[in-house]
Structures are given as C-alpha cells and as structure tokens.
RNA sequence: GCCUGGGUGGUGAAAUCGGUAAACACAGAGGACUUAAAAUCCUCCGCCGCGAGGCUUGCGGGUUCGAGUCCCGCCCCAGGCACCA
C-alpha cells in the first residue's frame, strides 16, 4: 500500500500504522547510535525506561505481554514528550527449563526453536507500536550475552560469594533438576506442579543471605509498589531474638560422666533460637529436628529404637507432607534431658518433624503456653504447660484453651514477675548473656540461592575441576564457555546434567598447570541471566566489556521499571543482590538497580486467568487486524486501573475505537477561529488531568478525561477550533502513537511528534470554571443545587439558599441551629 | 493462620486530606438525518413510587451537621507466604 492512500479523510488505522512503523524503523526515530547514547547519557536528560523482558514462547506474544509493555511504553513516550532522552530497550529471556521442555515436546532443538520464536515476537512487537531501541536489543542465549553472564558468575566466585556445597536441595523429579527455594511453591515445582523432593547434592550457591540485612533495609527508601516491597520483606523474613544455650543434663551424657568441674563450661549444650526470650520460664521441654546432630548423644538406650525409627520415617517423608500445617503433630521422646537455664529445672528433649533443621539452629525451646505449635504438641503428648505471660487482669493461673501469643506481664517467672514482656525480653537476654548462655541473634527465612541446574538449556557454569589444582575458574579471557549443540539433551533422574554425557566437551586441560581437568557440567539458573540484563542494554554490542563504565554512569540506575508482581521475590530480589555485589566489587557505583518499580495488574478473560487449557487466550494479532494497534492499546489501558489489571471483553473495544475516530474527525475538521472561553477552560483542566494521571499510571482516567473533553469540544455537533484541538495530539500520543503522528503531520508538523512536539502546559488558573454548581443540604440531605459564582461567601450563599422553595419546604417553621459552609461546594443547614 | 489488594448500576468502572455516589465507556431504549442501511448527532438509562419523596457503595455497629471514604467487629473474592521457633 502506498503512502498516497492517506489522502482519504477517514481514519484507516491499518494504513497509518503500517506507514509510521515503517518510517520509525527507517528513520531510527526511537533508536540511539552508540555515540548518541554516550553523549545523551553525559549531557542530556537520560531516562531509562525499562520493562520486564519476555520469554519468547512458541505461542507468540500474549495479550498479557502487550498489556504490560503498552503501559510501560506510554510512560516512556510521556517522558519523551516532556523532553527527556528516553532509552526504552527490549530483549529476550530465552534460556531455561520452560523453553527446553517445550523443545523436547515438539522435538525441535532449542537452538533452532528460539531464533524463530524471537523472530516471531519481534514481528509482533513492532506491530504494537512500542518505542523500542532495537539497536540495543539482547538475547540471553547468545554467546555474546552469556559470555558476560559467566563473567558475572566469576566475579561472585572471586569475591567468595559463589560457593559449592553439599546441601539438601529441592529436586523436581519431573523436571529432573534442582530448584531454588523461590521456585518451590507450597512444596511443589512452580513449573510443573510435581511434589518436590529433598536430595543431598553438591551445588553452586550464591550467598544472598549475606546481603539479607541490606536487601531488607534499602526497601525503606525504594520507590516501589507497596505490595512488592511487602512480598520481599516477608520473603527475607527477618526475626530478631536470641540464641539460648540449654546445657544437656549431666547424668544423661555418657561421655561426660566423669567430667571434672574444669570442663563444666564445655559441657555440651543445645542451642536454640527464640524470638521470645521473655517466655524462657515457660520452656517445659525441648524439641530437636530429627536430623539434628545431637540426637545421637541425648538419646537414652531404652529410647534408641523408637528414635531411630522416627528419624528414618522423617527422612523418607517428602517436603510437601512434612510442611503441611494441618497435620497433627508427631514426635518421640529421646529420654534425654536438658537444663532450663532460667529455672534450673531438667526438662525432656524430644524430636519432632515440626522443627526444621534448615531454620535457626534446628532445635527449639518449647513454650506450649505461648506458642501455637508447642501447645498442640504438648497436648498431644501430655507435656506440662506453664503460663508465664498474662494480660492485664488475668492472674495467669487458669488453664488455657489455646496458646496465648499476645502481650502482657510476666508471671511464674521468679524475679521477673510483674515485668512488662518487652522489657523482660531484654532483661532476660542480658542476664543470660552475662552468664554466657545467650547471645542476641537475628535470623532470616531467606536461604542461599542455589544456581546449579542439571539441565542443558542454560549457560555452562564457568568452572573447571583439575586433578591437581582442584576447583579452577575459567579465565575471563577464555569466555564464553560455549554451550555445545548436542542432540541428547533430555535430562534424566540421575542428578547429572546431559552435558556430562559428552566427554569431548567436558574433558579439557587446566589453565593453571596444563594437567587433566574436566568442566562443570551444570548450567546456571535462568534467573541469573535476568539478574543483570538491565546493565547490558545500554552497552549491548560491546564485545570488550559487559557494561561500559561511562555509558552505565550516564544511564543507570533504571529510572522506571514496570513488570508483573509474580517476580516480586525472584527476579527483583536476585537483581538487587547481583547489583549490590557488583557495587561492592567496584564495577558500578550504585547498589539498587531500580529507583522506581511499579507492578502492573493481571489481564484476565471473562473472569478467568487466560490459559491454553481453558482455551480463552486472547490472540492480539486479530484485534490489531480488526481495530488497529492504537485502539487495542487504548482499550487495554481503559479497562481499569493499570496497577490492578482487568477483564478483557470484546464488546468494550468499540468505545476506544469510536474515540479514535472521533478524535481523528475532530482534529481534521478543526477551523481557525478564536477559542470559546468555556472550551478553553476545559482544555486547561484536561491537560492538567491527563498530565497528572499519566504520571501516576492512572491511564484509564486520563483516557476518560480526553473523551470528556471531546464531548465538550463537539457538543451539539459544533465545529472545533484549531487552538482547542492541537494540544490533543501530544496528549494522545503516548496512548495512540500512530494516530498522533499522522495527525501531527496532517496539521503541518514536521518529523515525529515525539521529537518535535512538546507536552502541552496548562494554566491552573484557567483550568477552573467561573461558575460552580453549589449544593444546599438540609440536615445532610441534598435539597437543591444552584449555579453560583466561584468564591461566593457564606452569607450570600445562605441568602440565596433560604429563599429557594425546595429548601424552604424543609426549614419552614424550624430553627436553623447550625450552618456548615464548604466554599464552592456546599451549604448544610441543620434544623432542629 | 499471616501479608497484599479488592467488594459501588445490566457490564467495565469513577469519586477515597469525610462534602452533589455512579464521571467516562459498553450494552439497552427512543428520536433526528436517510428511499434504506451504515456512520453521525440528540434524549433517556441505580432501585421503589403517578408524584412529592424515599432508598442505595459486601454485612452489623459507631463517630460526625454530613461516611463509598474514618473507627470497631464480621463475611466474601483474587494474589502471595506459611509448622520460620
């Protein structure tokens, strides 16, 4: 179709969208050259507008992707019209189990599948009219990208933040690989829903727990969606308390039978972590995790058999059932005894699977009166319950029906009786600390990040094992360690990567001594690929450095990041962690990658989440075909608040389509004449509202404001003034970029509206009307509405109100006791 | 159980420093223009009532001249976390 077609005066979205997409691509409207990027970062007004990059699935672009991208793109275009140099890149997160499983299913190698998926995605994305800098795109499976992912691994390795250790890890028996804690949802694999098993394997871990405190504290000042911050706070799970030592009762410790007083201090102790040292006097028994190393030692001969049996059973029970809360408590008495350091009492030591080895010390002091789980356990096994905290007016002597976890004062606690619990917490900790029996302690729920994957489709971990030198990092100048093209990439349940079947690949020589070495055959977690990609974009294409220092200084950290909240604790936490480590190592100058983050809502279809199995997936192409990208974009944003998502309904799209047509017609038919005063007032009010709402991502109300304005401009079929319609072109441009470009050109503008037009200013004094609709209430009920001059005073308003017949009817013969006056809004007459 | 959001017409929603509930739009009804249709434009559109008026923001209380908005106690929906000591 030729450009001459546009001489028609009707809105033809297909034509103008094709025309402008072509022009944007040819003229590089939205891309920076590397030189320009460098210069703009240095002396321009750089604005890094980022959105979460997609996984390029074979099904193609989803309407959910478009929803996410459009919302972010609108913000970027808005910033550009406000005069910023906006860098808006996109790339592809193409490694990972998802792609690999799909490749296995359809029998096409991922190395063939991914490029064609990316090609399809790119084609679709271009049709949506997104302002992407395609010159700075990236693909995580490109060796030129993962070369630097491997480099990131090596930096962590050198800093001692990447360690290999044997640990119980989450194993998915269906995906045949290890999963990070964050990828286990309710004991099941987040990908396939299979119950996860525990396996002891030697794996690479990133020591993210070292950064727990910083990751938590920085949340205070980050401008992020509150829900996302909360999710991270919960995930990090900081608990403050004390580690308390409970000596094992001497008689029960075989090795200690003849111990002298001199080694008294070294008597074995059971360390527990508690957040409630104030309840120490109520600790009537102890519980060790079945795997706890001291179990052997405290178990008495007569209990040994039952203890062993319980431990065997616990070891074979999968995590899912072990973590079920509604399960009744089980456990076994070891026969061993420990000394409560507060009371000096000997208390029994049990083992039970409700105590988890991986949290705290793997042992607890049980305070059944003030802990729900301990209460349940004590009732199950008839263990004593002693109340030590009581609310005001409660003697603390009556038996409890349930654990009391509230606040109060101490009872049955010796010298601490009567003390307020918070104070007792400090005092008891101090006192035990003086006796070397306690230390204040902070624990985190966060675990180290296991990044090893026994799969094929990922970047090989750049480590060698030399017969002589041991673990050797691949020298940086030998990167990338290229993932070989192999055909038998299907994983098995052995726990060994498919790459381990390829001796020709993994056997190599040691870069240190030249001796025999073999490569690490695991690949890294996909979340490592995405934990640093925002650093790469501005330097994409640089084959010397992962990220150029000058470019990075100019453009990072990211100014605005928009994405789904499903990544609240995965991608977003890992990215923050990697950024902090790189900062500490001196590679970058900031420690938080995303200044501002907003989570967008989820787009659903007729009340249900879209999924292939439900057959309710909205394919965007058809809608673009029928209505145009501008209409689809505007419709998606008009459905509801961007941060809440909404329901895609076919019927609703006609509203925004009519709006596009009406807007087109209004601008085309405008004539040169003086602007009407009321229209001008509405214009300023509209510019103000669209500016504020777009900044706040309140796109639905911004669009409504523009619709409302059109209704005023066209009221009664009037011919609009040029002055009244010109500002609409930049206002609509972020939402409907193609339409805006075309209207800009047709009204005599040169080049792209995004480069040549400015976001319109408004005059706040002109945005308000001279007359207001004033409400008169009697006893809080609306009785009449009057047109009044703005700024009318109480006396004048009252004079006008009390002669109105609708008001008179309700106040006649009654005394007005009180008058409430809200300027320019309302008058309320209170009668008795 | 805990943490987030949320619950408003036939539908998507708007209004939350307490001050006209339902902006904007979809669907619906009627009308103008037209030979007709489309497009466009105009009018109506929460519920009850002929009307005056009364009622209405998940439920029950409360504060206030006035509550969708604040407080207390619940119910329901979506998402996240969960035997974390």
């Amino acid at each position: 179709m030729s450009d001459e077609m546009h001489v028609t005066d009707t809105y033809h979205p297909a034509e103008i969208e094709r025309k402008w997409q072509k022009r944007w691509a040819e003229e590089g409207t939205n891309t920076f050259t590397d030189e320009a990027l460098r210069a703009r970062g240095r002396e321009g007004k750089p604005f890094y507008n980022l959105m979460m990059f997609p996984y390029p699935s074979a099904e193609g672009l989803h309407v959910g992707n478009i929803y996410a991208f459009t919302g972010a793109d609108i913000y970027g275009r808005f910033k550009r019209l406000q005069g910023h140099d906006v860098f808006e890149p996109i790339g592809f997160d193409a490694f990972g189990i998802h792609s690999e499983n799909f490749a296995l299913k359809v029998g096409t190698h991922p190395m063939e599948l991914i490029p064609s998926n990316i090609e399809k995605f790119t084609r679709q994305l271009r049709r949506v009219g997104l302002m992407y800098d395609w010159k700075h795109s990236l693909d995580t499976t490109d060796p030129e990208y993962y070369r630097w992912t491997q480099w990131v691994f090596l930096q962590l390795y050198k800093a001692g933040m990447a360690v290999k250790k044997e640990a119980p890890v989450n194993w998915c028996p269906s995906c045949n690989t290890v999963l990070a804690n964050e990828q286990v949802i309710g004991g099941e694999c987040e990908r396939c829903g299979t119950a996860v098993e525990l396996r002891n394997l030697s794996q690479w871990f990133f020591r993210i727990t070292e950064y727990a405190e910083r990751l938590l504290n920085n949340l205070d000042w980050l401008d992020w969606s509150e829900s996302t911050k909360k999710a991270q706070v919960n995930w990090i799970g900081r608990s403050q308390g004390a580690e308390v030592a409970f000596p094992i009762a001497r008689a029960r410790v075989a090795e200690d039978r003849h111990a002298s007083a001199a080694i008294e201090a070294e008597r074995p102790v059971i360390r527990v972590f508690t957040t409630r040292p104030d309840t120490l006097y109520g600790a009537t028994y102890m519980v060790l995790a079945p795997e706890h190393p001291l179990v052997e030692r405290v178990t008495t001969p007569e209990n040994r058999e039952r203890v062993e049996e319980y431990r065997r059973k616990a070891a074979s029970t999968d995590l899912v059932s072990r973590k079920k809360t509604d399960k009744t408590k089980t456990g076994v008495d070891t026969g061993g005894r420990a000394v409560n350091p507060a009371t000096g009492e000997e208390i029994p030591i049990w083992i039970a699977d409700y105590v988890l080895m991986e949290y705290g010390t793997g042992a607890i002091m049980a305070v059944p009166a003030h802990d729900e789980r301990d209460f349940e356990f004590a009732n199950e096994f008839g263990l004593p319950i002693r109340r030590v905290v009581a609310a005001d007016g409660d003697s603390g002597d009556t038996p409890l029906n349930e654990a009391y976890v509230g606040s109060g004062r101490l009872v049955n606690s010796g010298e601490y009786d009567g003390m307020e619990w918070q104070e007792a917490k400090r005092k008891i900790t101090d006192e035990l600390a003086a006796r070397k029996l306690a230390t204040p302690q902070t624990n985190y729920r966060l675990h180290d990040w296991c990044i090893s994957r026994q799969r094929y489709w990922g970047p090989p971990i750049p480590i060698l094992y030399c017969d002589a030198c041991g673990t050797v990092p691949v020298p940086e100048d030998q990167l990338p360690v290229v993932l070989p093209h192999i055909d038998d990439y299907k994983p098995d349940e052995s726990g060994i990567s498919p790459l381990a079947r390829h001796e020709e690949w993994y056997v190599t020589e040691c870069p240190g001594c030249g001796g025999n070495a073999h490569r690490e055959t695991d690949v890294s977690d996909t979340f490592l690929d995405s934990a640093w990609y925002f650093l790469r974009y501005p330097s994409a294409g640089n084959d010397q450095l992962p990220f150029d220092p000058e470019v990075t200084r100019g453009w990072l950290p990211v100014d605005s990041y928009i994405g789904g909240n499903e990544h609240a604790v995965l991608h977003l936490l890992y990215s923050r962690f990697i950024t902090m480590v790189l900062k500490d190592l001196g590679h970058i100058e900031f420690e938080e990658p995303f200044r501002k983050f907003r989570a967008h809502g989820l787009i659903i279809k007729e009340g249900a989440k879209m999924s292939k199995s439900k057959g309710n997936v909205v394919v965007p192409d058809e809608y673009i075909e029928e209505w145009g990208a501008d209409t689809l974009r505007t419709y998606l944003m008009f459905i509801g608040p961007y941060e809440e998502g909404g329901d895609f309904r076919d019927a609703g799209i006609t509203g925004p389509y009519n709006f596009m047509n009406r807007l087109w017609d209004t601008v085309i038919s405008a004539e040169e004449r003086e602007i009407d005063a009321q229209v001008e007032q509405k214009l300023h009010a509209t510019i103000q509202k669209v500016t504020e709402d777009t900044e706040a991502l309140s796109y639905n109300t911004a669009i409504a404001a523009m619709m409302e304005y059109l209704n005023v401009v066209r009221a009664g079929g009037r011919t609009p003034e040029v002055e009244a319609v010109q500002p609409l072109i930049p206002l609509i441009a972020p939402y409907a970029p193609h339409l805006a470009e075309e209207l800009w050109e047709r009204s005599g503008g040169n080049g792209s509206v995004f480069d040549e037009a400015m976001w319109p200013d408004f005059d706040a004094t002109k945005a308000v009307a001279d007359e207001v609709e004033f409400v008169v209430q009697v006893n809080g009920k609306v009785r009449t509405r009057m047109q009044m001059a703005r700024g009318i005073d109480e006396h004048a308003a009252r004079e006008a109100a009390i002669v109105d017949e609708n008001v008179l009817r309700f106040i006649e013969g009654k005394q007005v006791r009180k008058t409430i006056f809200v300027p320019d809004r309302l008058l309320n007459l209170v009668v008795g």
Side-chain angles (χ1 to χ4, degrees):
Chain A
M1 194 148 316
S2 71
D3 284 1
E4 290 85 78
M5 281 295 289
H6 76 218
V7 291
T8 59
D9 272 353
T10 342
Y11 176 49
H12 290 299
E15 280 169 38
I16 66 166
E17 288 176 9
R18 203 174 296 117
K19 168 181 163 184
W20 286 98
Q21 281 162 19
K22 188 163 165 250
R23 198 172 291 183
W24 292 335
E26 283 170 356
E27 297 180 2
T29 310
N30 302 318
T31 55
F32 287 104
T33 60
D34 285 340
E35 301 75 56
L37 196 69
R38 191 174 295 270
R40 295 282 90 190
R42 199 170 47 228
E43 64 227 13
K45 285 176 74 184
F47 190 94
Y48 190 166
N49 190 53
L50 184 67
M51 57 202 79
M52 287 182 181
F53 65 164
Y55 149 72
S57 71
E59 295 87 45
L61 203 59
H62 190 266
V63 78
N65 296 129
I66 295 187
Y67 185 71
F69 298 153
T70 300
D73 185 63
I74 288 169
Y75 195 68
R77 289 183 180 274
F78 171 61
K79 286 290 155 192
R80 181 158 162 188
L81 282 157
Q82 287 187 323
H84 289 91
D85 297 303
V86 178
F87 177 54
E88 185 174 297
I90 194 71
F92 300 97
D93 188 18
F95 264 141
I97 293 177
H98 195 165
S99 319
E100 189 182 308
N101 286 350
F102 187 81
L104 284 164
K105 200 174 113 193
V106 299
T108 310
H109 195 279
M111 283 188 184
E112 276 94 57
L113 194 65
I114 292 301
S116 82
N117 287 358
I118 287 179
E119 205 183 308
K120 183 172 180 192
F121 258 67
T122 305
R123 211 165 45 235
Q124 287 182 303
L125 286 170
R126 284 185 185 274
R127 295 195 62 192
V128 182
L130 300 152
M131 197 179 63
Y132 291 142
D133 186 334
W134 289 104
K135 276 203 174 107
H136 293 91
S137 189
L138 57 81
D139 159 13
T140 57
T141 68
D142 181 347
E144 277 308 303
Y145 180 83
Y146 70 72
R147 165 186 179 185
W148 301 114
T149 304
Q150 292 170 337
W151 176 89
V152 169
F153 176 93
L154 291 176
Q155 305 316 303
L156 270 85
Y157 177 79
K158 282 194 289 190
M161 293 308 297
V163 293
K164 196 172 198 194
K165 60 186 181 189
E166 177 149 326
V169 288
N170 308 298
W171 175 265
C172 173
S174 165
C175 296
N176 284 321
T177 189
V178 154
L179 303 172
N181 249 29
E182 287 81 353
Q183 289 162 332
V184 180
I185 310 295
E188 293 172 357
C189 172
E190 69 159 357
R191 278 263 103 83
C192 63
T194 311
V196 167
E197 297 168 358
L198 272 191
R199 273 200 183 186
N200 268 305
L201 290 173
S202 184
Q203 309 280 337
W204 284 98
F205 286 86
F206 283 171
R207 296 169 60 194
I208 190 170
T209 50
E210 293 288 309
Y211 283 76
E213 195 66 28
R214 244 160 107 190
L215 288 166
L216 186 67
N217 290 342
N218 284 2
L219 291 172
D220 289 345
W221 57 265
L222 285 180
D223 178 15
W224 280 26
S225 293
E226 218 42 51
S227 57
T228 313
K229 288 210 231 182
K230 258 287 155 41
Q232 293 214 347
V233 170
N234 291 342
W235 189 262
I236 295 167
R238 182 183 199 269
S239 316
Q240 217 170 350
E243 200 171 286
V244 181
F246 282 63
I248 295 171
R250 200 183 319 191
R252 305 289 174 151
V253 184
E255 297 91 328
D256 225 19
R257 198 161 292 159
H258 306 292
S260 67
I263 61 161
E264 168 92 356
E266 286 160 40
R267 195 151 50 123
V269 294
I270 297 172
R271 294 185 188 281
V272 302
F273 174 71
T274 177
T275 54
R276 296 290 306 273
D278 54 306
T279 63
L280 186 60
Y281 284 77
T284 51
Y285 63 100
M286 301 191 76
V287 187
L288 304 182
E291 309 87 347
H292 196 284
L294 283 175
V295 173
E296 292 279 334
R297 199 156 186 184
V298 300
T299 302
T300 54
E302 58 272 25
N303 289 288
R304 190 157 305 270
E305 204 178 308
R306 292 187 54 216
V307 167
E308 287 306 323
E309 193 197 325
Y310 187 82
R311 296 181 85 184
R312 270 197 305 277
K313 232 170 71 192
S316 65
T317 310
D318 63 274
L319 273 181
V320 193
S321 42
R322 185 159 163 187
K323 286 195 169 172
K324 281 276 186 282
T325 331
D326 48 305
K327 194 183 74 164
T328 50
K329 298 276 183 291
T330 60
V332 175
D333 187 356
T334 64
R337 290 180 164 260
V339 178
N340 181 324
T343 61
E345 272 177 315
E346 287 197 1
I347 55 174
I349 305 169
W350 286 61
I351 61 169
D353 64 6
Y354 83 91
V355 174
L356 311 170
M357 196 59 219
E358 75 249 29
Y359 185 78
T361 60
I364 61 157
M365 65 175 208
V367 185
H370 306 291
D371 180 282
E372 285 167 27
R373 296 147 303 173
D374 297 344
F375 185 85
E376 201 186 311
F377 191 81
N379 278 330
E380 190 73 31
F381 296 102
L383 289 156
I385 297 171
R386 183 188 302 148
R387 299 186 57 186
V388 291
V389 178
D392 284 341
D394 180 352
S395 67
D397 296 332
T398 49
L400 292 166
N401 292 322
E402 55 180 7
Y404 178 70
V405 296
S407 60
R409 289 177 182 282
L410 267 62
V411 295
N412 301 320
S413 298
E415 58 188 288
Y416 299 99
D417 279 357
M419 194 179 281
E420 199 267 328
W421 68 301
Q422 296 280 16
E423 193 191 350
K425 193 182 242 180
R426 287 189 295 272
K427 289 272 164 64
I428 292 177
T429 307
D430 289 350
E431 202 247 22
L432 288 174
R435 288 165 56 199
K436 304 245 184 294
L437 286 169
T439 39
Q441 174 93 29
T442 303
N443 267 343
Y444 301 93
R445 190 188 158 284
L446 184 70
H447 285 53
D448 279 339
W449 173 17
C450 174
I451 61 124
S452 297
R453 296 292 179 276
Q454 294 69 39
R455 298 285 297 224
Y456 167 68
W457 194 231
I461 293 173
I463 288 287
L464 303 170
Y465 302 102
C466 168
D467 295 346
C469 315
T471 302
V472 180
V474 173
E476 287 178 23
D477 60 10
Q478 289 178 25
L479 296 179
V481 177
V482 176
L483 181 71
H485 190 301
I486 60 169
D487 290 324
D488 58 332
Y489 60 91
K490 194 178 161 111
D492 59 31
E493 84 303 337
S494 65
I496 300 167
S497 162
L499 290 174
R501 298 174 208 140
H502 290 264
E503 214 176 287
E504 73 285 359
W505 181 77
Y506 71 75
V507 171
T508 185
E509 84 185 20
C510 175
C513 68
N516 287 336
H518 64 273
R519 295 185 185 281
E520 167 68 60
T521 55
D522 284 355
V523 298
S524 58
D525 184 5
T526 331
F527 280 99
L528 180 57
D529 306 329
S530 56
W532 76 281
Y533 79 115
F534 45 89
L535 287 167
R536 180 65 180 168
Y537 275 138
S539 302
N542 188 324
D543 57 3
Q544 301 299 311
L545 294 165
F547 37 88
D548 177 276
E550 192 197 339
V551 171
T552 304
R553 204 176 301 122
W555 289 92
L556 280 120
V558 169
D559 293 283
S560 168
Y561 195 23
I562 288 178
N565 229 357
E566 69 272 19
H567 290 119
V569 291
L570 288 152
H571 163 62
L572 286 170
L573 194 67
Y574 295 150
S575 299
R576 294 181 60 214
F577 162 65
I578 294 292
T579 304
M580 278 180 196
V581 176
L582 291 176
K583 194 237 176 190
D584 290 351
L585 297 176
H587 293 293
I588 49 179
E589 293 164 20
F590 52 91
E591 66 176 30
E592 286 293 343
F594 317 121
R595 281 196 178 124
K596 175 173 169 183
F597 171 77
R598 289 293 179 274
H600 61 73
L602 195 68
I603 197 90
I604 58 173
K605 171 76 174 169
E606 264 120 43
K609 213 167 158 172
M610 282 183 224
S611 74
K612 252 200 305 185
S613 56
K614 288 199 199 88
N616 62 351
V617 175
V618 175
V619 180
D621 306 57
E622 299 161 14
Y623 290 88
I624 293 177
E625 208 70 58
E626 190 173 353
W627 307 96
D630 286 335
T631 294
L632 179 63
R633 288 169 63 109
T634 308
Y635 168 61
L636 287 172
M637 296 304 115
F638 189 61
I639 290 176
Y642 185 56
E643 293 177 72
E644 283 170 33
D647 202 338
F648 192 102
R649 280 165 203 272
D650 293 1
I653 202 167
T654 55
Y657 183 70
N658 291 341
F659 172 53
M660 293 295 130
N661 267 303
R662 201 162 144 87
L663 190 68
W664 171 275
D665 192 58
T666 301
V667 174
I668 295 292
S669 65
E671 66 174 36
E672 201 70 62
R673 68 166 203 279
E674 202 186 334
I675 190 167
D676 174 88
Q678 273 174 27
V679 171
E680 189 187 27
Q681 179 265 315
K682 190 69 181 170
L683 173 64
H684 283 274
T686 302
I687 296 171
Q688 178 168 12
K689 180 140 180 74
V690 174
T691 306
E692 289 167 1
D693 287 358
T694 304
E695 176 60 49
L697 312 187
S698 184
Y699 300 144
N700 55 333
T701 53
I703 295 165
M706 288 186 273
M707 289 174 166
E708 208 179 322
Y709 179 60
L710 274 196
N711 289 344
V712 169
V713 172
R714 301 304 300 276
R718 73 192 280 281
T719 306
E721 307 91 324
V722 168
E723 197 187 333
V725 304
Q726 276 299 311
L728 274 170
I729 299 172
L731 283 188
I732 194 63
Y735 298 87
H738 313 86
L739 174 68
E741 292 277 33
E742 183 67 20
L743 290 175
W744 173 253
E745 187 181 76
R746 280 170 181 246
S747 50
N750 292 314
S752 167
V753 67
F754 295 97
D755 293 328
E756 306 303 327
M758 280 301 287
W759 188 259
D761 285 324
F762 60 89
D763 182 340
T765 59
K766 283 189 185 162
V768 290
D770 300 335
E771 286 217 319
V772 292
E773 198 178 51
F774 197 87
V775 168
V776 181
Q777 297 182 331
V778 177
N779 283 351
K781 287 193 193 297
V782 178
R783 292 307 175 191
T784 195
R785 298 180 165 100
M786 311 183 293
Q787 285 299 317
M788 297 285 201
R790 173 167 295 279
I792 187 171
D793 65 21
E794 178 170 352
H795 182 75
R798 193 188 154 117
E799 291 300 304
I802 55 174
V803 297
D804 187 288
E805 60 172 281
N806 288 321
V807 176
L808 215 51
R809 192 160 48 211
F810 291 93
I811 60 172
E812 224 163 18
K814 292 173 183 153
Q815 195 196 347
V816 178
R817 292 164 185 262
K818 194 173 170 186
T819 309
I820 311 284
F821 176 72
V822 182
D824 293 333
R825 300 206 87 120
L826 126 174
L827 186 76
N828 187 11
L829 303 170
V830 185
V831 299

